[in-house]
Amino acid sequence: MDKPKVVLGVSGGIAAYKACELLRRLTESGHEVRVVPTASALNFVGEATWAALSGNPASTEVWESVDEVPHVRIGQSADLVVVAPATADMLAKAAHGLADDLLTNTLLTARCPVVFAPAMHTEMWEHPATQENVATLRRRGAVVIEPAVGRLTGKDTGKGRLPDPEEIFEVCRAVLARGAAAPDLAGRHVVISAGGTREPLDPVRFLGNRSSGKQGYALARTAVARGARVTLVAANTALADPAGADVVRVGTALQLRDAVLKAAADADAVVMAAAVADFRPAVYADGKIKKQEGREPDPVALVRNPDVLAEISAERALKGQVVVGFAAETDDVLDNGRAKLRRKGCDLLVVNEVGESKTFGSEENEAVILASDGGEVQVPYGPKEVLADVIWDQVASRLAPPSELRRA
């Protein structure tokens, strides 16, 4: 089979050097990559570097190899165009259809999916002009990844940092997998919880679970690739932030509840993939609980945590909001799942069997998606991204038109 053809556009920002890592991941995973830098980008990384790493010529000019009509052919033949970093200037040119170099010409002639990974100072990202340009590009079907929060140039810190190249690669891979399919979550805000909560017993101990957060992170990545604005409420994970997701870090079930309820206020869909502790210790010991010779430890009294899934399902912030829960079961999986679906009141419940060597920490998963209308979708064992896409298929088919979403 022919290798997927990817055009990597690089605009003139300090984060241009990070695009070398994205290029490496694309080429090593079997993609044919043509790098199209802007003239400004060459001030950060030279043409020879791009050509050597990609195995293809890299040019900024429409006047080179004119007989091959590169300003038309490169975009026409691409399966994906990704611009990383995308500066404020590049976003403005793309939104307004300007074509003053090879990259902007390529963007106008491309009929394949286009991904922009912005990187700039916070003030530039937040400026109304940039936000309007981003909204325009998204409305036209482009995937514009939200920038990360972190260290910028100089001493500045804030939103505007280029996401991790590995995470940008994952978005590109997900977009390529969908082919010409439109980003069906464009304009939607989705909230996802991931990981496992920890309930402190004393300063060094806690009650927790085995959840790694990988399924929730897969849901975040695939939602970004489908055009959504993603808020990821992450409980005690050790995973890199998914490119394009706004990550809110929490520890306990009460913290997760507060973060999810706040983010869900304007969300079209809420997916509760986190493993939330049902109980927490009734008393927190200010000092480490010591072992005493000749004495058994005192029993640990527990109290119930709030049922976040049931609360969101019963008191939705918006009418038409789709709520998805997860049920991790060890026996009578489907029977317990159907009972939980009725009890929780959510629209969809993803039911899977778990155990010490099943699901938790794995890159793969299998599940049955139960629907409140009686429908069932079986998802065979495979990558967690595949299950995530099936879940979003089910969510997208149930989303109310934006005009019908109303305050509950």
Side-chain angles (χ1 to χ4, degrees):
M1 296 178 64
D2 292 337
K3 293 181 178 181
K5 295 179 174 62
V6 177
V7 174
L8 173 57
V10 184
S11 53
I14 188 64
Y17 76 93
K18 295 183 179 180
C20 295
E21 175 64 15
L22 175 58
L23 172 57
R24 184 183 69 82
R25 291 187 176 276
L26 287 166
T27 55
E28 290 184 356
S29 58
H31 301 82
E32 180 181 338
V33 186
R34 175 76 179 263
V35 182
V36 182
T38 65
S40 296
L42 296 181
N43 289 317
F44 298 96
V45 181
E47 182 178 335
T49 299
W50 299 122
L53 291 176
S54 68
N56 286 309
S59 175
T60 66
E61 299 294 335
V62 297
W63 305 111
E64 295 182 14
S65 304
V66 174
D67 58 309
E68 298 176 7
V69 200
H71 73 288
V72 174
R73 295 289 181 260
I74 294 175
Q76 284 180 333
S77 62
D79 297 304
L80 174 72
V81 176
V82 52
V83 183
T87 61
D89 178 69
M90 178 53 60
L91 294 174
K93 288 179 177 179
H96 289 85
L98 302 182
D100 60 355
D101 64 5
L102 189 57
L103 179 53
T104 49
N105 274 270
T106 298
L107 288 169
L108 278 182
T109 56
R111 294 298 179 268
C112 60
V114 177
V115 175
F116 292 92
M120 64 198 73
H121 266 68
T122 306
E123 294 84 357
M124 300 174 74
W125 171 253
E126 293 177 347
H127 195 283
T130 302
Q131 290 300 304
E132 287 181 15
N133 292 332
V134 168
T136 297
L137 292 169
R138 286 172 171 163
R139 189 171 63 251
R140 293 175 184 162
V143 174
V144 183
I145 300 172
E146 290 284 316
V149 175
R151 182 71 178 268
L152 306 173
T153 54
K155 297 180 180 180
D156 293 340
T157 299
K159 188 169 186 176
R161 183 182 176 89
L162 186 73
D164 187 274
E166 181 178 357
E167 292 300 319
I168 298 175
F169 167 71
E170 292 296 338
V171 172
C172 292
R173 191 169 66 167
V175 171
L176 272 169
R178 288 182 54 77
D184 54 355
L185 296 179
R188 303 289 192 171
H189 177 208
V190 301
V191 176
I192 304 159
S193 69
T197 61
R198 295 177 179 178
E199 308 304 319
L201 179 61
D202 64 20
V204 298
R205 300 181 180 93
F206 59 84
L207 300 180
N209 57 68
R210 297 179 182 273
S211 178
S212 66
K214 290 181 178 179
Q215 185 63 69
Y217 275 57
L219 282 157
R221 291 191 191 96
T222 50
V224 168
R226 296 170 77 144
R229 176 167 68 91
V230 177
T231 300
L232 177 64
V233 180
N236 305 298
T237 64
L239 305 172
D241 290 352
D246 289 322
V247 180
V248 181
R249 301 196 180 281
V250 298
T252 68
L254 294 178
Q255 292 170 350
L256 182 140
R257 173 187 177 274
D258 291 344
V260 169
L261 290 178
K262 180 179 179 181
D266 66 345
D268 299 274
V270 180
V271 182
M272 294 292 296
V276 183
D278 293 321
F279 309 98
R280 67 182 185 275
V283 177
Y284 173 76
D286 293 329
K288 179 182 176 181
I289 300 173
K290 300 289 188 179
K291 179 174 64 176
Q292 298 183 26
E293 295 298 332
R295 283 189 56 186
E296 293 297 319
D298 293 333
V300 177
L302 301 176
V303 294
R304 285 185 179 274
N305 276 323
D307 190 329
V308 186
L309 176 59
E311 184 176 355
I312 290 177
S313 299
E315 302 178 11
R316 305 187 191 212
L318 298 174
K319 292 181 180 178
Q321 192 175 67
V322 177
V323 178
V324 183
F326 273 67
E329 301 291 345
T330 58
D331 51 62
D332 296 327
V333 175
L334 284 181
D335 288 342
N336 287 334
R338 293 186 185 102
K340 184 172 182 178
L341 176 64
R342 291 190 295 270
R343 191 168 65 251
K344 301 294 185 180
C346 50
D347 301 289
L348 299 167
L349 190 72
V350 184
V351 184
N352 55 6
E353 186 175 359
V354 298
E356 188 170 345
S357 58
K358 293 181 179 179
T359 301
F360 288 137
S362 171
E363 302 295 335
E364 289 79 31
N365 202 353
E366 62 180 323
V368 178
I369 304 174
L370 305 177
S372 58
D373 60 8
E376 294 186 10
V377 177
Q378 291 194 359
V379 184
Y381 189 78
K384 288 183 174 178
E385 285 78 6
V386 173
L387 173 58
D389 260 323
V390 178
I391 292 170
W392 290 125
D393 289 342
Q394 296 298 309
V395 170
S397 69
R398 289 167 169 79
L399 284 173
S403 60
E404 294 182 12
L405 285 168
R406 295 288 186 272
R407 289 287 170 189

